[in-house]
Amino acid sequence: MRIGNSKGLGPDLVSVLPRDVKAWYRCPHLLKLNLMLSCVTLYAATVGYDNSMMNGLQALEQWQEFMQFPEGAFLGGINAAQAGGAIFGYPIMSRLANRFGRKVPIWIGLAILALAVGLQTGARNSGTFIAARVLVGFASGFMGSCPILITEIAYPTHRAKLTAGYNTFYYVGSLVAAWATFGCRNYSSSWAWRIPSLLQFAVPALATTGFALSPESPRFLVATGQVERARHVLVKYHAGGKEDSELVTFEMAEIRNTLQSERELAQTTSYLEMFRTWGNRWRLLISVSIGIFAQWSGNGIASEP
């Protein structure tokens, strides 16, 4: 019996998967890997927490008084500040992730988030609060490296579940924020909204230990010439220390071939290819539409009036 479910995998990969009668949680190397990656999935809760918290704060009289009872475009701007910061964070994250590794942007995002949470918790006026919201969004852009890290490190049969789990933790963050705001509603002072703001860093702080122990992406390591280090990561976490593992040999070859193909394509193609043919323009429209419709489905109107 192979570790995990091999459905949906290519026949070449399935043929090199090790056979093992033990479940993954009885294999020390896979248990350790999945625990570390589970910590990385918790970072998705940061965005969910922020969005739900802002919804809850609007119901608090203490926050309304502090912000001078915002309404209309000003209230919309407060909620949109987070998304505005994220727009600037994502392009920077992608550059850093390709040059310095998948983990570096996450560390930077955590540092910015800590600063933003401190600024928001100690805000003395509405301008400071909004600036903190922009920084929270900026930090969330750097967290975009988390699903990349998960995808490139996860064991082949666990990859789909872990990446799906990352998106699921958005709602875990929303749930925690909703209860945190509800629990502080009876404070008569401004701590009614400052405590939920402070707790925004609680989940990321909890996840940091597991993230710190996680390895760097083997794909990034191969791309930057650190082939032996990449192989060591795969041998340790995918093969349980077996140097002659067929799975590791297959994965290393797959990474090299993919990177080579991408380099060759980069020399002959550009972003203009997306617009040169009708088929490519149609694919671009579908890709862009998915992102727009996901945010334009009405949930934003209902949760952030």
Side-chain angles (χ1 to χ4, degrees):
M1 183 178 69
R2 293 185 173 89
I3 301 173
N5 192 337
S6 60
K7 291 182 179 179
L9 301 178
D12 293 337
L13 175 57
V14 172
S15 67
V16 297
L17 286 175
R19 296 181 179 274
D20 198 312
V21 295
K22 295 188 295 184
W24 66 267
Y25 49 83
R26 292 182 178 177
C27 300
H29 62 287
L30 291 180
L31 177 61
K32 183 178 180 180
L33 176 64
N34 287 340
L35 286 175
M36 290 187 296
L37 293 182
S38 295
C39 288
V40 180
T41 63
L42 288 175
Y43 289 134
T46 303
V47 180
Y49 187 102
D50 179 74
N51 290 342
S52 182
M53 181 192 67
M54 282 307 304
N55 184 35
L57 292 186
Q58 292 173 55
L60 298 179
E61 186 70 19
Q62 301 91 327
W63 183 81
Q64 290 285 348
E65 291 179 0
F66 173 78
M67 297 297 291
Q68 300 177 355
F69 299 94
E71 59 182 16
F74 181 49
L75 178 59
I78 296 173
N79 284 291
Q82 188 268 351
I87 290 175
F88 293 99
Y90 277 105
I92 299 174
M93 177 277 294
S94 63
R95 294 280 185 176
L96 291 175
N98 284 334
R99 183 167 183 179
F100 300 106
R102 315 310 191 212
K103 298 183 69 174
V104 169
I106 301 174
W107 282 119
I108 294 175
L110 284 170
I112 297 173
L113 181 62
L115 173 63
V117 168
L119 193 64
Q120 182 172 310
T121 303
R124 293 182 175 272
N125 52 58
S126 59
T128 305
F129 186 90
I130 295 172
R133 298 256 318 131
V134 174
L135 281 177
V136 168
F138 191 57
S140 70
F142 287 86
M143 295 299 182
S145 187
C146 290
I148 302 174
L149 182 66
I150 294 170
T151 301
E152 296 178 348
I153 294 179
Y155 191 76
T157 57
H158 302 161
R159 188 171 294 129
K161 297 180 180 65
L162 284 167
T163 51
Y166 179 82
N167 293 320
T168 303
F169 272 97
Y170 172 98
Y171 301 99
V172 173
S174 296
L175 184 64
V176 172
W179 279 109
T181 308
F182 179 79
C184 296
R185 72 193 187 285
N186 292 327
Y187 284 95
S188 58
S189 67
S190 63
W191 283 105
W193 62 265
R194 293 186 191 274
I195 290 177
S197 296
L198 181 62
L199 291 176
Q200 188 165 4
F201 196 70
V203 174
L206 181 66
T208 297
T209 300
F211 162 66
L213 294 173
S214 66
E216 183 55 86
S217 160
R219 176 186 166 90
F220 166 76
L221 294 174
V222 173
T224 53
Q226 304 177 68
V227 177
E228 284 305 313
R229 186 180 168 192
R231 180 177 176 79
H232 174 74
V233 170
L234 292 175
V235 167
K236 181 177 180 179
Y237 292 106
H238 286 193
K242 297 178 182 178
E243 293 286 346
D244 59 346
S245 169
E246 293 183 3
L247 174 60
V248 172
T249 301
F250 175 87
E251 288 183 302
M252 288 296 294
E254 187 178 48
I255 292 172
R256 287 194 187 96
N257 293 337
T258 301
L259 290 173
Q260 181 61 31
S261 297
E262 290 177 356
R263 292 190 189 99
E264 292 174 355
L265 287 172
Q267 295 174 357
T268 58
T269 60
S270 68
Y271 287 111
L272 292 176
E273 293 293 334
M274 294 186 293
F275 305 97
R276 283 178 179 160
T277 66
W278 184 90
N280 286 352
R281 289 192 294 272
W282 179 248
R283 294 183 187 94
L284 176 63
L285 177 62
I286 293 174
S287 300
V288 173
S289 298
I290 291 173
I292 294 175
F293 293 152
Q295 299 299 320
W296 214 349
S297 58
N299 59 315
I301 298 174
S303 63
E304 298 182 6

